[in-house]
Amino acid sequence: MKFTFAVISGDGIGPEVTNQAKKALEAVAEVYNHVFLYKDAKIGACAIDEKGVPLPEETIKICKEADAILYGAVGDIKYDNNPSSKIRPEQGILQLRQELKLFCNIRPIKAYNKLLKNSPLKREVVSGTDVAIFRELTGGIYFGKKELSKDGKIAFDGCQYSEEEILRVAHLAFKAAGERRKKVTLVDKANVLETSRLWRRVVTEVAKEYEDVSLDFMLVDNATMQIVLNPKQFDVILTENLFGDIISDVATVIGGSIGMLAASSIGEKHALFEPIHGSYPQAAGKDIANPLASIISAAMMLEYLGLEDEADAIHRAVQKSLDLGITTKDLKAKNQTAALTSKVGDFIADYIENQEDSNMNFKNIHMGQSTII
Ligand code: IPM
Ligand code: MN
């Protein structure tokens, strides 16, 4: 089959990790006889530098025309140190979410057996964790009215939700739970916020349509604690934009490294796939960032397009790289030798192309030179 992917790799380590995802996709195309076309476009600080805006029109057009979007990261130290700057790289991704109506962000949180020792949490706490966070992505306080008084002494951020905005993401969460362990936990702050009380009412109604899925409620402060105390109690977490942003970063400690977590942002017509780590400018250009989250996001993109076997091939290669310890330094102990970003990418691509061959010499693959013996 033929697919066109918009590639918006963005800033910092974005381009390096996205390149490894492209290698994995190319290997898949080769093995499964597909044609994948890539259209690069700018977003974030690099777009501001080149075009003066974080989301150029041309990028929106390329994304709208693509079958799916592969996204890297946005952000740059020069803007982090100046939070009052009017134009910011983050506006690029926020605008794109709104423009393409990507209302549902899905963040799967899994504990890989091989990485249990990497989590600061106890082995028995994280082992077996499999949670999917469904975060509403185009509403709430992120997109509410923002104001600063003339004297600069009072600031305002409004949080608004409509029934419609809650309904569409809730249905996706319940459908997913039906295919999983059949439990949705709505995370909110219904003891304080009116918007949260609306969420409870609407989600309670939605739940009636999914008889085999149970619904419970948890306040966000408690949920943030529970996700590290006992993550296995959760199946699908459904929550609003800001709470989802916070709770999903907390949950990354379960996987042992934020470098392992990928996400999809889904709308009715478009879908975007990304590693959830940011642009990590300190590591940019050094070939040391973990590319696995970006590679896993490419697998999620193939699943979304209905290419399940192809996605599995990527997942198996990722698992193999963990089994063999062909990983970047965030997954290594201090005294262990780590693989470079590009070498992890080479291994993954190589393994996808050759995995059916049981005679493969993994030692050489490690160096990015597979030899069949
Ligand atoms: C995320 C990021 C973004 C967000 C930033 C870059 C605006 O943290 O995707 O989680 O807050 O949504
Ligand atoms: Mn975030």
Side-chain angles (χ1 to χ4, degrees), residues 71 74 90-91 93-94 97 105 107 135 137 142 241 245 248-249 274 276:
Y71 164 67
V74 293
E90 292 81 3
Q91 290 160 346
I93 185 63
L94 294 174
R97 288 171 183 169
N105 183 239
R107 299 185 163 179
R135 165 187 175 194
L137 201 61
Y142 270 66
N241 205 344
D245 180 47
S248 58
D249 265 32
E274 59 175 313
I276 92 157

Side-chain angles (χ1 to χ4, degrees), residues 255-270:
S257 167
I258 194 168
M260 293 301 295
L261 283 181
S264 54
S265 300
I266 311 278
E268 254 145 44
K269 295 204 194 117
H270 306 284

Side-chain angles (χ1 to χ4, degrees), residues 9 22-23 34 37 41 49 78 84 92 119 159 164 168 174 190 199 240 268 292 307 323 338:
S9 52
K22 273 164 91 174
K23 284 183 194 166
H34 297 303
L37 302 175
D49 291 344
K78 68 181 179 216
S84 63
S119 175
C159 180
E164 183 51 39
R168 58 190 185 181
F174 275 87
W199 271 82
E240 60 123 274
E268 254 145 44
L292 292 179
L307 305 179
D323 290 347

Side-chain angles (χ1 to χ4, degrees), residues 276-293:
I276 92 157
H277 58 68
S279 58
Y280 191 15
Q282 300 79 355
K286 295 189 180 153
D287 207 14
I288 56 170
N290 189 346
L292 292 179

Side-chain angles (χ1 to χ4, degrees), residues 1-275:
M1 293 175 82
K2 188 170 165 183
F3 290 106
T4 303
F5 302 131
V7 181
I8 44 173
S9 52
D11 305 322
I13 57 168
E16 290 160 59
V17 296
T18 312
N19 272 338
Q20 312 315 312
K22 273 164 91 174
K23 284 183 194 166
L25 288 167
E26 272 314 280
V28 163
E30 178 78 27
V31 174
Y32 294 85
N33 283 315
H34 297 303
V35 176
F36 295 156
L37 302 175
Y38 309 92
K39 292 225 163 129
D40 292 309
K42 297 256 184 258
I43 189 167
C46 62
I48 301 176
D49 291 344
E50 210 181 285
K51 317 249 174 185
V53 286
L55 184 68
E57 279 302 319
E58 185 188 306
T59 301
I60 302 176
K61 185 166 181 287
I62 289 176
C63 288
K64 282 189 172 163
E65 286 171 1
D67 294 301
I69 305 156
L70 202 58
Y71 164 67
V74 293
D76 191 287
I77 293 170
K78 68 181 179 216
Y79 298 95
D80 290 346
N81 294 337
N82 178 15
S84 63
S85 101
K86 284 254 168 341
I87 298 187
R88 302 185 50 80
E90 292 81 3
Q91 290 160 346
I93 185 63
L94 294 174
Q95 268 176 35
L96 188 66
R97 288 171 183 169
Q98 210 172 29
E99 193 76 43
L100 303 185
K101 301 188 173 55
L102 304 173
F103 61 84
C104 177
N105 183 239
I106 307 168
R107 299 185 163 179
I109 310 287
K110 265 195 192 144
Y112 288 88
N113 281 337
K114 274 279 163 189
L115 297 180
L116 294 179
K117 59 179 182 319
N118 292 70
S119 175
L121 302 176
K122 289 198 186 94
R123 200 183 176 89
E124 62 272 22
V125 171
V126 288
S127 154
T129 297
D130 180 6
V131 184
I133 299 178
F134 277 64
R135 165 187 175 194
E136 198 290 325
L137 201 61
T138 48
I141 200 162
Y142 270 66
F143 295 95
K145 198 160 117 195
K146 298 183 191 311
E147 274 172 10
L148 185 63
S149 65
K150 281 219 177 73
D151 61 7
K153 291 189 178 170
I154 302 174
F156 174 88
D157 285 291
C159 180
Q160 175 178 319
Y161 267 109
S162 69
E163 243 179 36
E164 183 51 39
E165 286 173 312
I166 301 168
L167 278 173
R168 58 190 185 181
V169 64
H171 278 291
L172 291 186
F174 275 87
K175 278 188 192 126
E179 313 260 294
R180 296 170 47 96
R181 300 192 311 281
K182 310 199 188 313
K183 182 178 166 189
V184 171
T185 303
L186 175 64
V187 168
D188 63 23
K189 190 72 186 169
N191 53 347
V192 177
L193 301 178
E194 203 55 50
T195 42
S196 286
R197 292 190 274 269
L198 180 67
W199 271 82
R200 281 207 185 189
R201 181 165 63 69
V202 173
V203 172
T204 303
E205 282 304 307
V206 171
K208 291 181 186 155
E209 295 177 41
Y210 301 85
E211 278 171 9
D212 58 335
V213 177
S214 71
L215 168 67
D216 63 5
F217 307 102
M218 200 178 276
L219 297 175
V220 62
D221 42 359
N222 183 28
T224 314
M225 179 175 71
Q226 293 296 333
I227 192 99
V228 287
L229 272 184
N230 178 15
K232 284 191 279 253
Q233 70 184 290
F234 298 107
D235 177 19
V236 170
I237 290 179
L238 168 63
T239 191
E240 60 123 274
N241 205 344
L242 180 62
F243 299 159
D245 180 47
I246 296 167
I247 206 170
S248 58
D249 265 32
V250 176
T252 62
V253 300
I254 294 166
S257 167
I258 194 168
M260 293 301 295
L261 283 181
S264 54
S265 300
I266 311 278
E268 254 145 44
K269 295 204 194 117
H270 306 284
L272 173 149
F273 300 83
E274 59 175 313

